[in-house]
Amino acid sequence: MSVNGAILFAIPIALLIVRSLRRFLDLPKRLPGWDKFLNSIWIPAIVLFLIAWAFKLKTSQLDETYFLFVFGVVVAVLVQVRDYRPARTLLLAIAPYVLYSAIELLLAVTDWDLLKRYDGFFDNSRGFAVIWLITFILIARNQKKHLEKERLQREEEEKAKQLIEAQNAELERLVAERTATLTQQAEELRDALTELRAMQAQLVQAEKMASLGELTAGIAHEIQNPLNFVTNFSDVSAELVSELEEEQQRPERDPGLEAELLDDLKQNLQKITHHGQRAASIVRGMLEHSRASTGERQPTEINNLADEYLRLAYHGLRAKDKTFNATLATDFDPAVGPIEVVSQDLGRVLLNLFTNAFYAVQKRKEACPDAGYTPTVTVSTHRNTATEVEIRVCDNGLGIPEAVRAKIFQPFFTTKPTGEGTGLGLSLSYDIITKGHGGTLTVKTQEGEGTEFIITLPA
């Protein structure tokens, strides 16, 4: 091959080397200036070719000079990107070959005989440089693959990190929205709770006034009896006084008759006092029931309290329905005696239980008017132990359906039709007995046969 042909043959090899280098080092991104310069690496070869053709030069070292120039440019590029580990490896790979080529070219120009004399040594050196070059090129290639794998892994991790950050941001946004919603709902619930408490206080007052109305109706009937007795005995006593005055004006007085008249007058006055106290007791009970409870426990005769409120509840119902009649049965244990309770609160509980019992038997009477049914409400007391007293309120009314038994002590739950109950009576009664007195309030019922409420109180 001629010298000029060798130079032209070196151009595609140089372009191949440069193309591989550009791709391997990603020069368009790393060194765009050098990348453009490498696109023109063929120009020096053409210049050498034209010089050799123009001056008829036959120098055989022109292709080697061109290759040395190409490798010099490669070394310069590798120095620019020496921070890239495969580039440093390539620089280490090409250094022996460039050094050998430079020495060989220098000897070829200055001392050709020395080059011929040590031709074997230089051939071995060239072989070693080529093997070194190929070996480190392979190492650089493996390093690039490893770095590329690490880069891809980092990119995947970065993508995953960005995805997690995006998800976290979305979650934070959703949490913020949910928190704002929950805060708003909490505010609404707080306002609703405030309104509910106000409404509950109104309903409690309404329940209290309803029981007071029933109590007042019963009192109006109950208080009439002692007032009638007071009026009747007052009239009789006035007649006895008139007879006594007439007897005292007679010339012949009868001491025995006067003594008898005085004795009758004394008995009448005692009866007037008794029935007056009875009326005063009823009025006092009404006043205690109407005003707010002080929460102070006082010794109270449970038997008397239960009997009084039983009759007041009965007469209260009869005041609203004159056709209603029921049998009142009592079984009071004398051993109960007085125990310390808040009489106003316990009276409200008993009045509520009695009212419910009369309501139940009335509804059953209305449901079966011709079945020979006798409405009956029974109240009994019993001292179970030295530290426990029991009050039972039993009726033979409709009973409580099994589906609603677990709800009867819940606030605002009622089995009565709309307008006939607030659903607070049993709830308040349960709280008064359990929380106010440390007792229990339980129920036994059989649908269609009756209901029994059992109160236990610490004695």
Side-chain angles (χ1 to χ4, degrees), residues 59-70:
T59 305
S60 60
Q61 286 81 21
L62 289 178
D63 58 339
E64 294 181 3
T65 303
Y66 175 67
F67 274 119
L68 187 61
F69 167 75
V70 171

Side-chain angles (χ1 to χ4, degrees), residues 284-410:
R284 184 169 57 254
M286 181 182 66
L287 293 175
E288 290 179 352
H289 184 84
S290 63
R291 62 173 175 257
S293 172
T294 61
E296 296 181 1
R297 299 191 184 189
Q298 297 177 350
T300 304
E301 286 285 349
I302 298 299
N303 291 342
N304 294 341
L305 188 69
D307 183 65
E308 180 178 345
Y309 277 92
L310 174 66
R311 300 187 187 283
L312 293 177
Y314 176 64
H315 292 303
L317 184 57
R318 277 186 53 80
K320 293 189 293 185
D321 184 2
K322 298 295 184 182
T323 63
F324 175 74
N325 286 291
T327 301
L328 308 182
T330 58
D331 182 15
F332 297 134
D333 184 0
V336 171
I339 64 173
E340 290 189 354
V341 295
V342 183
S343 58
Q344 301 99 312
D345 291 347
L346 185 57
R348 291 191 183 102
V349 173
L350 292 174
L351 184 63
N352 180 264
L353 295 182
F354 294 148
T355 302
N356 288 344
F358 287 126
Y359 179 87
V361 296
Q362 183 186 29
K363 291 301 180 182
R364 183 174 177 182
K365 181 66 176 178
E366 293 174 355
C368 50
D370 300 325
Y373 167 70
T374 301
T376 304
V377 175
T378 304
V379 57
S380 62
T381 60
H382 180 67
R383 180 178 284 273
N384 292 339
T385 63
T387 58
E388 186 178 83
V389 169
E390 181 181 86
I391 305 173
R392 292 176 177 260
V393 178
C394 180
D395 67 73
N396 60 346
L398 294 173
I400 302 174
E402 184 177 359
V404 300
R405 290 175 191 171
K407 303 178 182 179
I408 60 173
F409 294 121
Q410 293 180 4

Side-chain angles (χ1 to χ4, degrees), residues 39 87 109 228 244 251 293 359 389 411:
N39 282 330
V109 174
N228 287 338
L244 182 59
S293 172
Y359 179 87
V389 169

Side-chain angles (χ1 to χ4, degrees), residues 170-373:
E170 180 66 16
L171 287 176
E172 289 177 358
R173 185 185 66 81
L174 293 175
V175 168
E177 292 180 356
R178 185 60 176 168
T179 302
T181 303
L182 291 176
T183 302
Q184 182 180 359
Q185 291 176 350
E187 291 294 334
E188 294 175 354
L189 288 175
R190 191 176 294 108
D191 294 339
L193 180 60
T194 302
E195 295 178 0
L196 183 61
R197 285 176 176 170
M199 186 180 298
Q200 183 179 12
Q202 294 175 358
L203 288 174
V204 169
Q205 185 65 22
E207 179 71 19
K208 178 179 173 182
M209 296 306 296
S211 64
L212 180 61
E214 295 172 354
L215 178 63
T216 303
I219 287 173
H221 186 280
E222 190 73 10
I223 204 173
Q224 189 65 42
N225 290 330
L227 291 178
N228 287 338
F229 279 114
V230 169
T231 302
N232 293 335
F233 282 115
S234 296
D235 293 340
V236 173
S237 298
E239 294 177 0
L240 291 176
V241 170
S242 298
E243 291 181 11
L244 182 59
E245 288 177 348
E246 290 176 1
E247 184 64 28
Q248 289 177 345
Q249 292 176 2
R250 292 179 181 178
E252 296 181 1
R253 298 168 58 182
D254 186 352
L257 179 59
E258 290 181 2
E260 183 179 351
L261 291 173
L262 288 173
D263 185 59
D264 290 342
L265 185 60
K266 181 180 179 180
Q267 291 180 7
N268 288 347
L269 291 175
Q270 290 176 348
K271 291 179 180 179
I272 290 173
T273 301
H274 171 73
H275 290 290
Q277 290 176 349
R278 171 63 178 158
S281 174
I282 294 173
V283 173
R284 184 169 57 254
M286 181 182 66
L287 293 175
E288 290 179 352
H289 184 84
S290 63
R291 62 173 175 257
S293 172
T294 61
E296 296 181 1
R297 299 191 184 189
Q298 297 177 350
T300 304
E301 286 285 349
I302 298 299
N303 291 342
N304 294 341
L305 188 69
D307 183 65
E308 180 178 345
Y309 277 92
L310 174 66
R311 300 187 187 283
L312 293 177
Y314 176 64
H315 292 303
L317 184 57
R318 277 186 53 80
K320 293 189 293 185
D321 184 2
K322 298 295 184 182
T323 63
F324 175 74
N325 286 291
T327 301
L328 308 182
T330 58
D331 182 15
F332 297 134
D333 184 0
V336 171
I339 64 173
E340 290 189 354
V341 295
V342 183
S343 58
Q344 301 99 312
D345 291 347
L346 185 57
R348 291 191 183 102
V349 173
L350 292 174
L351 184 63
N352 180 264
L353 295 182
F354 294 148
T355 302
N356 288 344
F358 287 126
Y359 179 87
V361 296
Q362 183 186 29
K363 291 301 180 182
R364 183 174 177 182
K365 181 66 176 178
E366 293 174 355
C368 50
D370 300 325
Y373 167 70

